[in-house]
Amino acid sequence: MAKEEFLYPEKWLLKASAGERIASELRISIISGMIESGTILSENKIAADFSVSRSPVRDALKILASENMVQLKRMGASVTGLTDKHIEEIYDVRLMIESFVFERIVKADTGDLVKELSKILEMMKVAVKYGDADEFSCQDVIFHETIIRFINHSYILMIWNNLKPVMESLILLSMRVRFKEKYDDFQRILKNHELYIEAIKTKERNLMIQSLHQNFDDVQGKVEDLWMSQQLLAKGAGQGEQA
């Protein structure tokens, strides 16, 4: 597999093991629809594509199996994929996590958190200005993870970390589509993050509820973005074959 064909940003994988790198690329390929549900993944074929031994491939498939993306088979795996229902359930869990986190935040001194989130928001604005979907996605994940880490709750963080790999791919694919097809929508997205910060600063539950619902009631939009990303990727692949 040539480097230019990779969907997952290489700069996000600087500290990743070989197995994690392969899992990241296979995961986003499955979620994007480039690898379809029902596909049989061969350890030997993946090892050849990524120029590695079979050992990191096995590690990658075990990671994906733990996320219910594949079912392990002898010498490979069968792709189960990600349904609209799965996406909605992921965002349900995010909503529960961030609602819980806010209840802890209202009892704490949030001055430093507000400053840190404001810095991240500025980086998100720069990413929008320069049309960098990958950087925007990265900063968006960091924004929410910063809020979650603030309360120092080990089990909430464990749940978040379990969700994060699939969630990152969903966000990345969604934002890439939005930069191409719905660029004007980013002013609304940025305003919503400003509302999030204001809710944390003032510790106003009503503001937080408003912000959370604006953020998570848009799941159907994200499902549509995923469908559009599949069309764009398929079109790109077709152009590549004709070249």
Side-chain angles (χ1 to χ4, degrees):
M1 182 177 291
K3 180 178 176 182
E4 61 267 17
E5 293 176 356
F6 287 175
L7 297 179
Y8 200 83
E10 188 174 354
K11 64 182 178 180
W12 290 15
L13 296 168
L14 295 178
K15 298 180 181 179
S17 68
E20 289 168 340
R21 285 172 173 267
I22 295 167
S24 295
E25 185 62 24
L26 292 176
R27 182 188 300 112
I28 197 169
S29 296
I30 291 168
I31 293 173
S32 71
M34 294 294 285
I35 298 177
E36 297 179 352
S37 295
T39 299
I40 302 300
L41 300 176
S42 159
E43 285 183 7
N44 290 331
K45 175 69 163 57
I46 296 170
D49 285 345
F50 286 89
S51 302
V52 296
S53 68
R54 281 168 43 199
S55 180
V57 175
R58 290 193 201 102
D59 292 341
L61 294 178
K62 286 177 183 176
I63 291 170
L64 296 178
S66 73
E67 299 166 357
N68 296 321
M69 303 290 290
V70 304
Q71 290 183 335
L72 296 177
K73 305 284 186 183
R74 185 175 177 276
M75 299 288 288
S78 173
V79 175
T80 52
L82 195 69
T83 66
D84 292 355
K85 184 174 184 291
H86 290 148
I87 297 172
E88 290 169 3
E89 288 175 354
I90 288 168
Y91 281 92
D92 283 344
V93 176
R94 276 195 64 186
L95 180 58
M96 287 189 290
I97 289 174
E98 298 199 37
S99 299
F100 174 86
V101 168
F102 185 72
E103 291 306 315
R104 295 295 180 94
I105 283 175
V106 296
K107 302 170 186 175
D109 180 353
T110 59
D112 289 343
L113 176 61
V114 167
K115 288 178 184 176
E116 186 61 28
L117 294 176
S118 297
K119 290 178 187 176
I120 297 168
L121 180 60
E122 289 305 310
M123 288 187 276
M124 292 170 72
K125 290 178 179 177
V126 171
V128 171
K129 179 180 178 181
Y130 290 100
D132 191 338
D134 291 8
E135 182 61 22
F136 183 90
S137 302
C138 179
Q139 295 301 329
D140 189 17
V141 172
I142 291 172
F143 183 96
H144 293 279
E145 184 167 310
T146 299
I147 296 169
I148 290 164
R149 286 186 178 276
F150 178 77
I151 68 167
N152 195 28
H153 192 297
S154 59
Y155 283 92
I156 289 292
L157 187 58
M158 181 177 70
I159 296 168
W160 168 264
N161 285 333
N162 286 337
L163 282 178
K164 186 177 176 181
V166 174
M167 196 167 56
E168 277 184 335
S169 292
L170 284 169
I171 291 170
L172 181 61
L173 289 167
S174 174
M175 294 309 170
R176 283 176 177 173
V177 167
R178 290 185 179 214
F179 267 84
K180 289 179 179 292
E181 307 289 340
K182 306 177 185 178
Y183 183 78
D184 291 344
D185 193 42
F186 279 94
Q187 292 310 310
R188 179 191 64 80
I189 294 172
L190 291 172
K191 286 290 184 185
N192 193 47
H193 283 76
E194 289 174 358
L195 183 63
Y196 218 133
I197 295 173
E198 185 63 21
I200 291 171
K201 182 178 180 179
T202 60
K203 300 181 181 177
E204 284 285 342
R205 283 187 176 84
N206 288 337
L207 271 182
M208 176 53 74
I209 290 168
Q210 181 183 348
S211 176
L212 285 174
H213 281 291
Q214 286 182 11
N215 206 29
F216 294 110
D217 288 352
D218 192 30
V219 172
Q220 184 58 43
K222 292 177 174 63
V223 172
E224 290 171 0
D225 287 345
L226 183 59
W227 180 84
M228 288 176 66
S229 77
Q230 293 171 356
Q231 309 310 305
L232 289 171
L233 287 166
K235 182 178 179 183
Q239 290 173 343
E241 290 168 0
Q242 294 169 8

